[in-house]
Amino acid sequence: MPVSLRLDMAGRSHRSLVAVLVTLLAVLLAVGDFGAAIDRARTVLHARFGGESLEHHCSHAGHRGLPRTSSVYCPVQPANLDVGGAWDPASDADFVKLSHHRLQGAIQIRTETFDDMSFNASDLAFDVFYDFEAYLRKTFPLFHAQLSLEHVNVHGLLFTWQGSRPDLQPILLMAHQDVVPVNPGTIYQWTQPPFSGLMDSDGWIWGRGTTDMKSTLVALLASTEKLLEQGFVPERTILYSFGFDEEIGGPRGAGHLAPFIEQRYGTDGIAMIVDEGFTGVDVEFETSLARVGVAEKGCMTLSLSVLADGGHSSRPPAHTAIGIMSRLLVELENNPTVPRLVPGNPLLSYLECAAEHGSMDVELAGMVRQQDCWPLLAAELGKDRILSTFLKTTQAIDVVNGGIKYNALPEAVTALTNYRIDFFESTQDTVDKVVSLLRPLVETTFNMTWDAFGSHAEVTNNVVRLEKFGLDLEPAPLTPAEGKAWELMGGTIKHLFPGTVIVPSAMTAFTDTRHCWALSKHIYRFVPASLEHILNYHTVNERIHIHAHMSTIRFFYKFLHNSIGWQAP
């Protein structure tokens, strides 16, 4: 979690009551009347805090020793889990060198995927995945000799390591073979060539896919290859599912692999799933915290089009199509979703764990544990660009097109706005909000027809259209931060990172697990390494430290050992 989370509470008690009212008003606007909202806010403040401001109450909550009103607690910490053999691959210099060589070869195969690729997995554009599969086969011969491989939709790879107990549900380990493209215009900005896989003298391995996520894929095969060399036989069947188009939504890869697995093992037929995450192990609040992803936000893109009369620019109307679009987009940006904290939000659980196990500022801890203070806390945290993504549905106007000539009035203007849907909201909630903001402007201010999702499809001019574009994804079901699966995941982390506190976290992007919700109620997204050693996802100078790669290999080696005797379905 960013250092900005360490809030300086000292100056807060001097902020005016007006600021508090603004925060409350954002929550209370649902009453539909500004005056009523103001009166209600004043009443709440006076009745609850005896006339003192919410700001003052919350900034002193920690020092006053007030009883907690929050129902959110840090999850019970799993016990250190250590079953079977021990192996520290980082202590073997020859194996470290071999591990870099293996990862480097994977990086050098350019498995880039692009948004305009065919949905036909047999298209020649995907032929590079034949090369990648051949490389894996050559590099991990024992893995391929002893596990069965099924090709799903051409390049989807499903490996099965048959367990000794077919009555137990399998464990599913996931990774994807593809990487985001490297923009040719940025190649000169790279310190090392983007598909070199070179390791520098400081231990950094450079290249596209080092962080996302060929390191994990190679680590899965490397750890399993080691277990096979040692004669290890899993109790449960272990499945390895490798999609090939995660970076463009996964419909050809995981979108086919998941139903294939479900057909074989049934709905909720997988004991647990582990996939990539933006969460790892790092020190915050002077405590080592392992952030395990238990949630993912939803995703939706809305297309807005303005169709208006064209003509010569020397005779313009009061508002051109571009002007109308600009006004509509300003309305969206002037009305962002209000940050909020509610029970179940992974960030709130994270803060509670930090308050319980770390050296959190006493004022901040007091606010975390006083539910009355959550709106104020959310407003403060929401000022941070990264933290705000955990607290609300985000909105990004990404594409605007319109106009073809300086002296011709634009006849058609389009804009695409991407929304990442809050963990506890739906895509329909966002649609409803957009409609409530824009429809009055369109119909009253501009006297145009409002066409939402085909409601007035017959109108072809002087109309504003709202449509969905591309992916329409609801937030993922929350994985419980308790129970047998949590104990296996957290217990393994505890063993490899002694003294670490296991805390729930979340993905603000989405992964291939979005296709797997029917397979298991226990889906974890996690990188078993320090995020200080994993830098620049999806951008220039993407790189991973060899320590992080070795840590990932060691994690999966111990995780599979720890699955022996694990008491779950």
Side-chain angles (χ1 to χ4, degrees), residues 155-172:
H155 298 294
L157 307 180
L158 179 62
F159 293 93
T160 301
W161 192 3
Q162 193 62 49
S164 62
R165 292 278 307 276
D167 57 306
L168 299 177
Q169 290 186 340
I171 291 173
L172 175 59

Side-chain angles (χ1 to χ4, degrees), residues 402-466:
I404 58 173
K405 202 171 187 300
Y406 79 92
N407 60 352
L409 297 174
E411 298 165 322
V413 182
T414 60
L416 296 179
T417 303
N418 181 250
Y419 295 90
R420 298 305 170 109
I421 310 300
D422 182 84
F423 308 111
F424 304 101
E425 295 180 1
S426 68
T427 56
Q428 189 59 47
D429 291 331
T430 294
V431 168
D432 292 343
K433 178 184 176 184
V434 170
V435 170
S436 69
L437 288 172
L438 300 188
R439 183 173 182 173
L441 274 176
V442 171
E443 294 181 337
T444 303
T445 303
F446 297 113
N447 194 30
M448 300 177 75
T449 300
W450 172 252
D451 173 20
F453 311 105
S455 61
H456 291 85
E458 75 283 357
V459 181
T460 59
N461 194 35
N462 198 38
V463 61
V464 175
R465 301 196 196 286
L466 180 68

Side-chain angles (χ1 to χ4, degrees), residues 368-556:
V368 170
R369 289 169 170 170
Q370 292 292 311
Q371 191 160 340
D372 294 322
C373 299
W374 288 355
L376 185 61
L377 179 58
E380 193 69 26
L381 297 175
K383 295 175 183 177
D384 181 272
R385 176 181 172 185
I386 302 302
L387 293 177
S388 68
T389 64
F390 290 88
L391 300 169
K392 66 179 184 177
T393 293
T394 58
Q395 171 182 269
I397 300 169
D398 292 321
V399 179
V400 179
N401 288 311
I404 58 173
K405 202 171 187 300
Y406 79 92
N407 60 352
L409 297 174
E411 298 165 322
V413 182
T414 60
L416 296 179
T417 303
N418 181 250
Y419 295 90
R420 298 305 170 109
I421 310 300
D422 182 84
F423 308 111
F424 304 101
E425 295 180 1
S426 68
T427 56
Q428 189 59 47
D429 291 331
T430 294
V431 168
D432 292 343
K433 178 184 176 184
V434 170
V435 170
S436 69
L437 288 172
L438 300 188
R439 183 173 182 173
L441 274 176
V442 171
E443 294 181 337
T444 303
T445 303
F446 297 113
N447 194 30
M448 300 177 75
T449 300
W450 172 252
D451 173 20
F453 311 105
S455 61
H456 291 85
E458 75 283 357
V459 181
T460 59
N461 194 35
N462 198 38
V463 61
V464 175
R465 301 196 196 286
L466 180 68
E467 302 169 290
K468 288 188 177 182
F469 177 89
L471 182 67
D472 186 11
L473 178 67
E474 299 295 339
L478 286 176
T479 292
E482 60 182 0
K484 297 298 182 182
W486 179 257
E487 290 171 3
L488 174 58
M489 190 73 182
T492 303
I493 298 170
K494 285 272 192 182
H495 177 69
L496 297 182
F497 300 91
T500 292
V501 178
I502 315 301
V503 302
S505 188
M507 289 286 288
T508 55
F510 55 86
T511 67
D512 267 345
T513 62
R514 76 181 185 89
H515 299 283
C516 301
W517 298 348
L519 297 180
S520 178
K521 291 182 172 61
H522 306 283
I523 303 177
Y524 297 108
R525 303 99 174 153
F526 182 65
V527 179
S530 168
L531 293 186
E532 293 182 356
H533 291 155
I534 303 171
L535 299 179
N536 293 7
Y537 287 88
H538 288 203
T539 191
V540 171
N541 286 333
E542 180 180 350
R543 61 195 184 274
I544 189 170
H545 199 278
I546 188 65
H547 290 339
H549 184 54
M550 304 312 294
S551 175
T552 305
I553 295 172
R554 186 184 180 203
F555 172 83
F556 285 112

Side-chain angles (χ1 to χ4, degrees), residues 29 36 45-46 54 93 102 117 159 168 211 213 242 257 324 335 390 395 399 418 437 471 497 506 510 550 565 568:
L29 283 177
L45 287 172
H46 184 82
L54 177 64
R102 286 168 163 172
M117 294 179 84
F159 293 93
L168 299 177
T211 66
M213 61 171 302
F242 301 151
L257 284 158
I324 294 168
N335 292 276
F390 290 88
Q395 171 182 269
V399 179
N418 181 250
L437 288 172
L471 182 67
F497 300 91
F510 55 86
M550 304 312 294

Side-chain angles (χ1 to χ4, degrees), residues 111-384:
T111 55
E112 296 166 288
T113 49
F114 300 84
D115 289 337
D116 60 353
M117 294 179 84
S118 170
F119 281 91
N120 179 3
S122 298
D123 189 276
L124 295 178
F126 292 102
D127 280 0
V128 67
F129 291 97
Y130 287 123
D131 299 333
F132 191 71
E133 181 188 345
Y135 174 77
L136 296 180
R137 185 180 298 276
K138 178 186 72 173
T139 305
F140 299 99
L142 195 56
F143 182 95
H144 285 79
Q146 296 199 27
L147 276 67
S148 65
L149 168 62
E150 295 168 280
H151 292 87
V152 180
N153 197 26
V154 187
H155 298 294
L157 307 180
L158 179 62
F159 293 93
T160 301
W161 192 3
Q162 193 62 49
S164 62
R165 292 278 307 276
D167 57 306
L168 299 177
Q169 290 186 340
I171 291 173
L172 175 59
L173 305 177
M174 297 177 62
H176 59 85
Q177 307 167 64
D178 62 314
V179 301
V180 296
V182 171
N183 185 336
T186 66
I187 289 179
Y188 74 96
Q189 299 176 25
W190 285 72
T191 301
Q192 301 291 348
F195 291 97
S196 65
L198 289 173
M199 183 165 69
D200 63 24
S201 59
D202 294 322
W204 289 100
I205 304 171
W206 299 74
R208 176 64 82 233
T210 50
T211 66
D212 189 7
M213 61 171 302
K214 286 182 176 177
S215 171
T216 298
L217 191 152
V218 170
L220 284 168
L221 272 64
S223 58
T224 304
E225 187 104 343
K226 183 66 173 182
L227 289 166
L228 290 168
E229 290 174 2
Q230 296 175 341
F232 177 82
V233 178
E235 199 170 58
R236 295 170 183 271
T237 294
I238 310 298
L239 305 176
Y240 303 77
S241 177
F242 301 151
F244 59 96
D245 64 338
E246 190 273 346
E247 299 295 358
I248 49 176
R252 310 160 193 80
H256 281 74
L257 284 158
F260 185 88
I261 295 169
E262 183 181 6
Q263 185 176 21
R264 178 169 296 169
Y265 297 101
T267 302
D268 289 330
I270 302 299
M272 67 181 296
I273 299 172
V274 182
D275 195 11
E276 65 176 325
F278 292 162
T279 52
V281 182
D282 277 304
V283 174
E284 292 289 346
F285 300 100
E286 300 181 15
T287 301
S288 178
L289 302 173
R291 299 178 296 279
V292 179
V294 298
E296 287 184 10
K297 297 182 78 172
C299 180
M300 176 183 66
T301 299
L302 292 180
S303 170
L304 195 63
S305 303
V306 177
L307 306 179
D309 288 329
H312 199 281
S313 294
S314 63
R315 304 181 209 175
H319 303 285
T320 69
I322 290 177
I324 294 168
M325 177 65 79
S326 299
R327 178 65 181 86
L328 298 178
L329 298 182
V330 166
E331 187 71 10
L332 291 177
E333 291 212 333
N334 281 348
N335 292 276
T337 303
V338 176
R340 62 175 185 153
L341 282 167
V342 297
N345 186 298
L347 179 58
L348 188 57
S349 299
Y350 163 86
L351 291 170
E352 176 57 44
C353 288
E356 180 176 340
H357 298 281
S359 58
M360 179 180 283
D361 180 279
V362 65
E363 288 88 357
L364 177 56
M367 293 181 72
V368 170
R369 289 169 170 170
Q370 292 292 311
Q371 191 160 340
D372 294 322
C373 299
W374 288 355
L376 185 61
L377 179 58
E380 193 69 26
L381 297 175
K383 295 175 183 177
D384 181 272

